[in-house]
PDB file of all heavy atoms in Angstrom:
ATOM      1  N   THR W   1      -5.509  -1.810   0.154  1.00  0.00           N
ATOM      2  CA  THR W   1      -6.811  -2.002  -0.486  1.00  0.00           C
ATOM      3  C   THR W   1      -7.934  -1.257   0.236  1.00  0.00           C
ATOM      4  O   THR W   1      -8.845  -0.744  -0.425  1.00  0.00           O
ATOM      5  CB  THR W   1      -7.181  -3.504  -0.622  1.00  0.00           C
ATOM      6  OG1 THR W   1      -6.058  -4.226  -1.139  1.00  0.00           O
ATOM      7  CG2 THR W   1      -8.353  -3.695  -1.599  1.00  0.00           C
ATOM      8  N   ILE W   2      -7.881  -1.140   1.560  1.00  0.00           N
ATOM      9  CA  ILE W   2      -8.975  -0.453   2.253  1.00  0.00           C
ATOM     10  C   ILE W   2      -8.748   1.053   2.327  1.00  0.00           C
ATOM     11  O   ILE W   2      -9.669   1.793   2.675  1.00  0.00           O
ATOM     12  CB  ILE W   2      -9.219  -1.028   3.661  1.00  0.00           C
ATOM     13  CG1 ILE W   2      -8.055  -0.727   4.611  1.00  0.00           C
ATOM     14  CG2 ILE W   2      -9.477  -2.524   3.587  1.00  0.00           C
ATOM     15  CD1 ILE W   2      -8.349  -1.106   6.055  1.00  0.00           C
ATOM     16  N   PHE W   3      -7.546   1.518   2.008  1.00  0.00           N
ATOM     17  CA  PHE W   3      -7.237   2.950   1.936  1.00  0.00           C
ATOM     18  C   PHE W   3      -6.818   3.305   0.519  1.00  0.00           C
ATOM     19  O   PHE W   3      -6.181   2.508  -0.171  1.00  0.00           O
ATOM     20  CB  PHE W   3      -6.086   3.318   2.879  1.00  0.00           C
ATOM     21  CG  PHE W   3      -6.445   3.433   4.322  1.00  0.00           C
ATOM     22  CD1 PHE W   3      -6.393   2.318   5.145  1.00  0.00           C
ATOM     23  CD2 PHE W   3      -6.832   4.644   4.877  1.00  0.00           C
ATOM     24  CE1 PHE W   3      -6.718   2.410   6.487  1.00  0.00           C
ATOM     25  CE2 PHE W   3      -7.162   4.751   6.216  1.00  0.00           C
ATOM     26  CZ  PHE W   3      -7.103   3.628   7.030  1.00  0.00           C
ATOM     27  N   GLY W   4      -7.143   4.526   0.097  1.00  0.00           N
ATOM     28  CA  GLY W   4      -6.634   5.055  -1.165  1.00  0.00           C
ATOM     29  C   GLY W   4      -7.555   4.815  -2.344  1.00  0.00           C
ATOM     30  O   GLY W   4      -8.231   3.784  -2.437  1.00  0.00           O
ATOM     31  N   GLU W   5      -7.559   5.749  -3.269  1.00  0.00           N
ATOM     32  CA  GLU W   5      -8.397   5.648  -4.458  1.00  0.00           C
ATOM     33  C   GLU W   5      -8.028   4.430  -5.301  1.00  0.00           C
ATOM     34  O   GLU W   5      -8.880   3.852  -5.982  1.00  0.00           O
ATOM     35  CB  GLU W   5      -8.271   6.917  -5.298  1.00  0.00           C
ATOM     36  CG  GLU W   5      -8.832   8.173  -4.633  1.00  0.00           C
ATOM     37  CD  GLU W   5      -8.710   9.390  -5.505  1.00  0.00           C
ATOM     38  OE1 GLU W   5      -8.181   9.253  -6.640  1.00  0.00           O
ATOM     39  OE2 GLU W   5      -9.125  10.484  -5.079  1.00  0.00           O
ATOM     40  N   ARG W   6      -6.767   4.063  -5.288  1.00  0.00           N
ATOM     41  CA  ARG W   6      -6.316   2.883  -6.028  1.00  0.00           C
ATOM     42  C   ARG W   6      -6.062   1.708  -5.101  1.00  0.00           C
ATOM     43  O   ARG W   6      -5.413   0.733  -5.499  1.00  0.00           O
ATOM     44  CB  ARG W   6      -5.028   3.221  -6.801  1.00  0.00           C
ATOM     45  CG  ARG W   6      -5.222   4.245  -7.908  1.00  0.00           C
ATOM     46  CD  ARG W   6      -3.908   4.669  -8.549  1.00  0.00           C
ATOM     47  NE  ARG W   6      -3.114   5.479  -7.637  1.00  0.00           N
ATOM     48  CZ  ARG W   6      -2.054   5.038  -6.977  1.00  0.00           C
ATOM     49  NH1 ARG W   6      -1.642   3.797  -7.118  1.00  0.00           N
ATOM     50  NH2 ARG W   6      -1.381   5.839  -6.168  1.00  0.00           N
ATOM     51  N   GLY W   7      -6.552   1.795  -3.876  1.00  0.00           N
ATOM     52  CA  GLY W   7      -6.303   0.729  -2.916  1.00  0.00           C
ATOM     53  C   GLY W   7      -4.847   0.638  -2.508  1.00  0.00           C
ATOM     54  O   GLY W   7      -4.361  -0.416  -2.106  1.00  0.00           O
ATOM     55  N   GLU W   8      -4.146   1.780  -2.577  1.00  0.00           N
ATOM     56  CA  GLU W   8      -2.695   1.767  -2.350  1.00  0.00           C
ATOM     57  C   GLU W   8      -2.300   1.705  -0.888  1.00  0.00           C
ATOM     58  O   GLU W   8      -1.110   1.636  -0.562  1.00  0.00           O
ATOM     59  CB  GLU W   8      -2.037   2.982  -3.008  1.00  0.00           C
ATOM     60  CG  GLU W   8      -2.412   4.323  -2.409  1.00  0.00           C
ATOM     61  CD  GLU W   8      -3.596   4.980  -3.074  1.00  0.00           C
ATOM     62  OE1 GLU W   8      -4.434   4.264  -3.654  1.00  0.00           O
ATOM     63  OE2 GLU W   8      -3.691   6.224  -3.016  1.00  0.00           O
ATOM     64  N   GLY W   9      -3.267   1.762   0.006  1.00  0.00           N
ATOM     65  CA  GLY W   9      -2.969   1.545   1.414  1.00  0.00           C
ATOM     66  C   GLY W   9      -2.760   2.821   2.205  1.00  0.00           C
ATOM     67  O   GLY W   9      -2.699   3.925   1.664  1.00  0.00           O
ATOM     68  N   LEU W  10      -2.642   2.635   3.515  1.00  0.00           N
ATOM     69  CA  LEU W  10      -2.517   3.762   4.431  1.00  0.00           C
ATOM     70  C   LEU W  10      -1.252   4.564   4.169  1.00  0.00           C
ATOM     71  O   LEU W  10      -1.275   5.795   4.100  1.00  0.00           O
ATOM     72  CB  LEU W  10      -2.524   3.237   5.875  1.00  0.00           C
ATOM     73  CG  LEU W  10      -2.321   4.275   6.974  1.00  0.00           C
ATOM     74  CD1 LEU W  10      -3.512   5.224   7.044  1.00  0.00           C
ATOM     75  CD2 LEU W  10      -2.119   3.590   8.327  1.00  0.00           C
ATOM     76  N   MET W  11      -0.130   3.883   4.005  1.00  0.00           N
ATOM     77  CA  MET W  11       1.152   4.572   3.915  1.00  0.00           C
ATOM     78  C   MET W  11       1.272   5.360   2.610  1.00  0.00           C
ATOM     79  O   MET W  11       1.652   6.531   2.614  1.00  0.00           O
ATOM     80  CB  MET W  11       2.297   3.555   4.025  1.00  0.00           C
ATOM     81  CG  MET W  11       3.633   4.173   4.321  1.00  0.00           C
ATOM     82  SD  MET W  11       3.685   4.807   6.002  1.00  0.00           S
ATOM     83  CE  MET W  11       4.977   6.038   5.851  1.00  0.00           C
ATOM     84  N   LEU W  12       0.969   4.717   1.497  1.00  0.00           N
ATOM     85  CA  LEU W  12       1.088   5.415   0.218  1.00  0.00           C
ATOM     86  C   LEU W  12       0.062   6.530   0.098  1.00  0.00           C
ATOM     87  O   LEU W  12       0.304   7.526  -0.577  1.00  0.00           O
ATOM     88  CB  LEU W  12       0.948   4.421  -0.938  1.00  0.00           C
ATOM     89  CG  LEU W  12       2.084   3.419  -1.103  1.00  0.00           C
ATOM     90  CD1 LEU W  12       1.815   2.503  -2.285  1.00  0.00           C
ATOM     91  CD2 LEU W  12       3.429   4.109  -1.256  1.00  0.00           C
ATOM     92  N   SER W  13      -1.079   6.373   0.754  1.00  0.00           N
ATOM     93  CA  SER W  13      -2.068   7.455   0.745  1.00  0.00           C
ATOM     94  C   SER W  13      -1.507   8.704   1.402  1.00  0.00           C
ATOM     95  O   SER W  13      -1.838   9.828   1.019  1.00  0.00           O
ATOM     96  CB  SER W  13      -3.340   7.013   1.483  1.00  0.00           C
ATOM     97  OG  SER W  13      -3.973   5.957   0.805  1.00  0.00           O
ATOM     98  N   ALA W  14      -0.657   8.511   2.410  1.00  0.00           N
ATOM     99  CA  ALA W  14      -0.026   9.651   3.079  1.00  0.00           C
ATOM    100  C   ALA W  14       0.937  10.378   2.164  1.00  0.00           C
ATOM    101  O   ALA W  14       1.276  11.543   2.396  1.00  0.00           O
ATOM    102  CB  ALA W  14       0.708   9.189   4.335  1.00  0.00           C
ATOM    103  N   LEU W  15       1.381   9.702   1.108  1.00  0.00           N
ATOM    104  CA  LEU W  15       2.263  10.319   0.115  1.00  0.00           C
ATOM    105  C   LEU W  15       1.464  10.823  -1.078  1.00  0.00           C
ATOM    106  O   LEU W  15       2.018  11.036  -2.151  1.00  0.00           O
ATOM    107  CB  LEU W  15       3.312   9.303  -0.348  1.00  0.00           C
ATOM    108  CG  LEU W  15       4.264   8.794   0.736  1.00  0.00           C
ATOM    109  CD1 LEU W  15       5.084   7.626   0.209  1.00  0.00           C
ATOM    110  CD2 LEU W  15       5.174   9.902   1.217  1.00  0.00           C
ATOM    111  N   ASP W  16       0.150  10.963  -0.863  1.00  0.00           N
ATOM    112  CA  ASP W  16      -0.758  11.434  -1.917  1.00  0.00           C
ATOM    113  C   ASP W  16      -0.679  10.559  -3.155  1.00  0.00           C
ATOM    114  O   ASP W  16      -0.708  11.031  -4.295  1.00  0.00           O
ATOM    115  CB  ASP W  16      -0.464  12.894  -2.270  1.00  0.00           C
ATOM    116  CG  ASP W  16      -0.679  13.821  -1.082  1.00  0.00           C
ATOM    117  OD1 ASP W  16      -1.650  13.591  -0.331  1.00  0.00           O
ATOM    118  OD2 ASP W  16       0.118  14.761  -0.905  1.00  0.00           O
ATOM    119  N   GLY W  17      -0.582   9.233  -2.902  1.00  0.00           N
ATOM    120  CA  GLY W  17      -0.610   8.277  -4.001  1.00  0.00           C
ATOM    121  C   GLY W  17       0.717   8.071  -4.687  1.00  0.00           C
ATOM    122  O   GLY W  17       0.818   7.257  -5.607  1.00  0.00           O
ATOM    123  N   GLY W  18       1.742   8.777  -4.276  1.00  0.00           N
ATOM    124  CA  GLY W  18       3.048   8.624  -4.898  1.00  0.00           C
ATOM    125  C   GLY W  18       3.906   7.619  -4.170  1.00  0.00           C
ATOM    126  O   GLY W  18       3.427   6.732  -3.481  1.00  0.00           O
ATOM    127  N   HIS W  19       5.220   7.758  -4.281  1.00  0.00           N
ATOM    128  CA  HIS W  19       6.151   6.875  -3.599  1.00  0.00           C
ATOM    129  C   HIS W  19       7.343   7.698  -3.184  1.00  0.00           C
ATOM    130  O   HIS W  19       7.568   8.797  -3.679  1.00  0.00           O
ATOM    131  CB  HIS W  19       6.570   5.699  -4.501  1.00  0.00           C
ATOM    132  CG  HIS W  19       7.216   4.578  -3.745  1.00  0.00           C
ATOM    133  ND1 HIS W  19       8.569   4.376  -3.713  1.00  0.00           N
ATOM    134  CD2 HIS W  19       6.675   3.614  -2.974  1.00  0.00           C
ATOM    135  CE1 HIS W  19       8.843   3.328  -2.954  1.00  0.00           C
ATOM    136  NE2 HIS W  19       7.711   2.847  -2.500  1.00  0.00           N
ATOM    137  N   SER W  20       8.097   7.176  -2.241  1.00  0.00           N
ATOM    138  CA  SER W  20       9.278   7.873  -1.736  1.00  0.00           C
ATOM    139  C   SER W  20      10.457   6.923  -1.757  1.00  0.00           C
ATOM    140  O   SER W  20      10.307   5.737  -1.454  1.00  0.00           O
ATOM    141  CB  SER W  20       9.027   8.347  -0.294  1.00  0.00           C
ATOM    142  OG  SER W  20      10.243   8.769   0.312  1.00  0.00           O
ATOM    143  N   ASP W  21      11.627   7.445  -2.120  1.00  0.00           N
ATOM    144  CA  ASP W  21      12.803   6.583  -2.106  1.00  0.00           C
ATOM    145  C   ASP W  21      13.284   6.291  -0.694  1.00  0.00           C
ATOM    146  O   ASP W  21      14.246   5.557  -0.503  1.00  0.00           O
ATOM    147  CB  ASP W  21      13.933   7.181  -2.958  1.00  0.00           C
ATOM    148  CG  ASP W  21      14.360   8.564  -2.486  1.00  0.00           C
ATOM    149  OD1 ASP W  21      13.897   9.017  -1.419  1.00  0.00           O
ATOM    150  OD2 ASP W  21      15.169   9.199  -3.196  1.00  0.00           O
ATOM    151  N   ARG W  22      12.622   6.864   0.308  1.00  0.00           N
ATOM    152  CA  ARG W  22      12.924   6.548   1.707  1.00  0.00           C
ATOM    153  C   ARG W  22      12.048   5.419   2.246  1.00  0.00           C
ATOM    154  O   ARG W  22      12.231   4.993   3.385  1.00  0.00           O
ATOM    155  CB  ARG W  22      12.719   7.782   2.588  1.00  0.00           C
ATOM    156  CG  ARG W  22      13.570   8.966   2.206  1.00  0.00           C
ATOM    157  CD  ARG W  22      13.312  10.149   3.117  1.00  0.00           C
ATOM    158  NE  ARG W  22      13.994  11.328   2.618  1.00  0.00           N
ATOM    159  CZ  ARG W  22      15.286  11.575   2.817  1.00  0.00           C
ATOM    160  NH1 ARG W  22      16.004  10.742   3.518  1.00  0.00           N
ATOM    161  NH2 ARG W  22      15.840  12.666   2.310  1.00  0.00           N
ATOM    162  N   LEU W  23      11.086   4.950   1.457  1.00  0.00           N
ATOM    163  CA  LEU W  23      10.088   4.000   1.934  1.00  0.00           C
ATOM    164  C   LEU W  23      10.299   2.614   1.331  1.00  0.00           C
ATOM    165  O   LEU W  23      10.403   2.462   0.112  1.00  0.00           O
ATOM    166  CB  LEU W  23       8.683   4.499   1.585  1.00  0.00           C
ATOM    167  CG  LEU W  23       7.520   3.544   1.881  1.00  0.00           C
ATOM    168  CD1 LEU W  23       7.387   3.310   3.381  1.00  0.00           C
ATOM    169  CD2 LEU W  23       6.214   4.103   1.312  1.00  0.00           C
ATOM    170  N   ILE W  24      10.344   1.611   2.202  1.00  0.00           N
ATOM    171  CA  ILE W  24      10.265   0.215   1.792  1.00  0.00           C
ATOM    172  C   ILE W  24       8.964  -0.304   2.383  1.00  0.00           C
ATOM    173  O   ILE W  24       8.759  -0.247   3.602  1.00  0.00           O
ATOM    174  CB  ILE W  24      11.445  -0.625   2.309  1.00  0.00           C
ATOM    175  CG1 ILE W  24      12.776   0.028   1.932  1.00  0.00           C
ATOM    176  CG2 ILE W  24      11.378  -2.039   1.753  1.00  0.00           C
ATOM    177  CD1 ILE W  24      13.433   0.777   3.070  1.00  0.00           C
ATOM    178  N   LEU W  25       8.076  -0.803   1.529  1.00  0.00           N
ATOM    179  CA  LEU W  25       6.743  -1.181   1.969  1.00  0.00           C
ATOM    180  C   LEU W  25       6.528  -2.674   1.753  1.00  0.00           C
ATOM    181  O   LEU W  25       6.801  -3.200   0.672  1.00  0.00           O
ATOM    182  CB  LEU W  25       5.697  -0.399   1.168  1.00  0.00           C
ATOM    183  CG  LEU W  25       4.261  -0.473   1.661  1.00  0.00           C
ATOM    184  CD1 LEU W  25       4.090   0.392   2.909  1.00  0.00           C
ATOM    185  CD2 LEU W  25       3.303  -0.001   0.569  1.00  0.00           C
ATOM    186  N   THR W  26       6.040  -3.354   2.784  1.00  0.00           N
ATOM    187  CA  THR W  26       5.561  -4.718   2.617  1.00  0.00           C
ATOM    188  C   THR W  26       4.050  -4.721   2.795  1.00  0.00           C
ATOM    189  O   THR W  26       3.494  -3.877   3.494  1.00  0.00           O
ATOM    190  CB  THR W  26       6.217  -5.673   3.621  1.00  0.00           C
ATOM    191  OG1 THR W  26       6.010  -5.194   4.948  1.00  0.00           O
ATOM    192  CG2 THR W  26       7.713  -5.793   3.359  1.00  0.00           C
ATOM    193  N   PHE W  27       3.400  -5.671   2.154  1.00  0.00           N
ATOM    194  CA  PHE W  27       1.943  -5.665   2.170  1.00  0.00           C
ATOM    195  C   PHE W  27       1.407  -7.077   2.003  1.00  0.00           C
ATOM    196  O   PHE W  27       2.149  -8.019   1.695  1.00  0.00           O
ATOM    197  CB  PHE W  27       1.392  -4.751   1.063  1.00  0.00           C
ATOM    198  CG  PHE W  27       1.872  -5.081  -0.322  1.00  0.00           C
ATOM    199  CD1 PHE W  27       1.203  -6.003  -1.110  1.00  0.00           C
ATOM    200  CD2 PHE W  27       2.996  -4.448  -0.846  1.00  0.00           C
ATOM    201  CE1 PHE W  27       1.639  -6.301  -2.386  1.00  0.00           C
ATOM    202  CE2 PHE W  27       3.446  -4.732  -2.127  1.00  0.00           C
ATOM    203  CZ  PHE W  27       2.754  -5.674  -2.903  1.00  0.00           C
ATOM    204  N   SER W  28       0.112  -7.208   2.235  1.00  0.00           N
ATOM    205  CA  SER W  28      -0.571  -8.494   2.102  1.00  0.00           C
ATOM    206  C   SER W  28      -1.445  -8.491   0.858  1.00  0.00           C
ATOM    207  O   SER W  28      -2.085  -7.485   0.531  1.00  0.00           O
ATOM    208  CB  SER W  28      -1.430  -8.765   3.339  1.00  0.00           C
ATOM    209  OG  SER W  28      -2.207  -9.939   3.162  1.00  0.00           O
ATOM    210  N   LEU W  29      -1.474  -9.616   0.188  1.00  0.00           N
ATOM    211  CA  LEU W  29      -2.419  -9.836  -0.902  1.00  0.00           C
ATOM    212  C   LEU W  29      -3.575 -10.713  -0.427  1.00  0.00           C
ATOM    213  O   LEU W  29      -4.397 -11.151  -1.234  1.00  0.00           O
ATOM    214  CB  LEU W  29      -1.709 -10.501  -2.085  1.00  0.00           C
ATOM    215  CG  LEU W  29      -0.635  -9.634  -2.751  1.00  0.00           C
ATOM    216  CD1 LEU W  29       0.196 -10.452  -3.726  1.00  0.00           C
ATOM    217  CD2 LEU W  29      -1.261  -8.437  -3.457  1.00  0.00           C
ATOM    218  N   SER W  30      -3.634 -10.952   0.893  1.00  0.00           N
ATOM    219  CA  SER W  30      -4.651 -11.816   1.466  1.00  0.00           C
ATOM    220  C   SER W  30      -5.719 -11.021   2.201  1.00  0.00           C
ATOM    221  O   SER W  30      -6.905 -11.270   2.039  1.00  0.00           O
ATOM    222  CB  SER W  30      -4.010 -12.814   2.448  1.00  0.00           C
ATOM    223  OG  SER W  30      -3.023 -13.596   1.823  1.00  0.00           O
ATOM    224  N   LYS W  31      -5.359 -10.047   2.969  1.00  0.00           N
ATOM    225  CA  LYS W  31      -6.299  -9.376   3.878  1.00  0.00           C
ATOM    226  C   LYS W  31      -7.297  -8.526   3.082  1.00  0.00           C
ATOM    227  O   LYS W  31      -8.194  -9.062   2.460  1.00  0.00           O
ATOM    228  CB  LYS W  31      -5.523  -8.585   4.914  1.00  0.00           C
ATOM    229  CG  LYS W  31      -4.682  -9.484   5.830  1.00  0.00           C
ATOM    230  CD  LYS W  31      -3.931  -8.696   6.867  1.00  0.00           C
ATOM    231  CE  LYS W  31      -3.307  -9.601   7.925  1.00  0.00           C
ATOM    232  NZ  LYS W  31      -2.263 -10.507   7.391  1.00  0.00           N
ATOM    233  N   GLY W  32      -7.163  -7.219   3.121  1.00  0.00           N
ATOM    234  CA  GLY W  32      -8.099  -6.395   2.371  1.00  0.00           C
ATOM    235  C   GLY W  32      -8.100  -6.724   0.890  1.00  0.00           C
ATOM    236  O   GLY W  32      -9.129  -6.610   0.219  1.00  0.00           O
ATOM    237  N   PHE W  33      -6.958  -7.159   0.360  1.00  0.00           N
ATOM    238  CA  PHE W  33      -6.842  -7.475  -1.070  1.00  0.00           C
ATOM    239  C   PHE W  33      -7.735  -8.653  -1.449  1.00  0.00           C
ATOM    240  O   PHE W  33      -8.215  -8.744  -2.573  1.00  0.00           O
ATOM    241  CB  PHE W  33      -5.384  -7.769  -1.408  1.00  0.00           C
ATOM    242  CG  PHE W  33      -5.045  -7.683  -2.869  1.00  0.00           C
ATOM    243  CD1 PHE W  33      -4.736  -6.470  -3.454  1.00  0.00           C
ATOM    244  CD2 PHE W  33      -5.040  -8.821  -3.656  1.00  0.00           C
ATOM    245  CE1 PHE W  33      -4.419  -6.389  -4.804  1.00  0.00           C
ATOM    246  CE2 PHE W  33      -4.731  -8.754  -5.007  1.00  0.00           C
ATOM    247  CZ  PHE W  33      -4.423  -7.532  -5.583  1.00  0.00           C
ATOM    248  N   GLY W  34      -7.924  -9.592  -0.530  1.00  0.00           N
ATOM    249  CA  GLY W  34      -8.913 -10.633  -0.722  1.00  0.00           C
ATOM    250  C   GLY W  34      -8.475 -11.847  -1.516  1.00  0.00           C
ATOM    251  O   GLY W  34      -9.306 -12.704  -1.832  1.00  0.00           O
ATOM    252  N   ALA W  35      -7.183 -11.962  -1.845  1.00  0.00           N
ATOM    253  CA  ALA W  35      -6.716 -13.139  -2.580  1.00  0.00           C
ATOM    254  C   ALA W  35      -5.766 -13.923  -1.674  1.00  0.00           C
ATOM    255  O   ALA W  35      -6.175 -14.342  -0.595  1.00  0.00           O
ATOM    256  CB  ALA W  35      -6.055 -12.722  -3.886  1.00  0.00           C
ATOM    257  N   TYR W  36      -4.513 -14.099  -2.090  1.00  0.00           N
ATOM    258  CA  TYR W  36      -3.587 -14.838  -1.238  1.00  0.00           C
ATOM    259  C   TYR W  36      -2.154 -14.468  -1.588  1.00  0.00           C
ATOM    260  O   TYR W  36      -1.793 -14.391  -2.758  1.00  0.00           O
ATOM    261  CB  TYR W  36      -3.758 -16.353  -1.393  1.00  0.00           C
ATOM    262  CG  TYR W  36      -2.990 -17.129  -0.355  1.00  0.00           C
ATOM    263  CD1 TYR W  36      -3.495 -17.267   0.930  1.00  0.00           C
ATOM    264  CD2 TYR W  36      -1.747 -17.678  -0.651  1.00  0.00           C
ATOM    265  CE1 TYR W  36      -2.786 -17.955   1.902  1.00  0.00           C
ATOM    266  CE2 TYR W  36      -1.030 -18.360   0.312  1.00  0.00           C
ATOM    267  CZ  TYR W  36      -1.550 -18.495   1.592  1.00  0.00           C
ATOM    268  OH  TYR W  36      -0.839 -19.162   2.549  1.00  0.00           O
ATOM    269  N   GLY W  37      -1.343 -14.243  -0.549  1.00  0.00           N
ATOM    270  CA  GLY W  37       0.072 -13.977  -0.744  1.00  0.00           C
ATOM    271  C   GLY W  37       0.488 -12.681  -0.084  1.00  0.00           C
ATOM    272  O   GLY W  37      -0.244 -12.086   0.717  1.00  0.00           O
ATOM    273  N   GLY W  38       1.692 -12.247  -0.395  1.00  0.00           N
ATOM    274  CA  GLY W  38       2.235 -11.001   0.132  1.00  0.00           C
ATOM    275  C   GLY W  38       3.162 -10.382  -0.890  1.00  0.00           C
ATOM    276  O   GLY W  38       3.380 -10.938  -1.977  1.00  0.00           O
TER     277      GLY W  38
END
């Protein structure tokens, strides 16, 4: 949420907003996202 035009985060921003089949990403829905969960 704090990185990326779509709030996609630091890691996905490094992929220019895309995704990689080498990447498994976990994230929070509580911190920058501002709600609750993961």
Side-chain angles (χ1 to χ4, degrees):
T1 313
I2 68 172
F3 282 89
E5 294 181 0
R6 294 174 290 104
E8 66 268 26
L10 177 67
M11 196 70 203
L12 292 180
S13 295
L15 298 170
D16 298 321
H19 196 259
S20 168
D21 59 8
R22 301 180 188 279
L23 174 65
I24 307 102
L25 191 75
T26 55
F27 56 88
S28 174
L29 295 169
S30 302
K31 296 181 170 64
F33 198 84
Y36 190 79

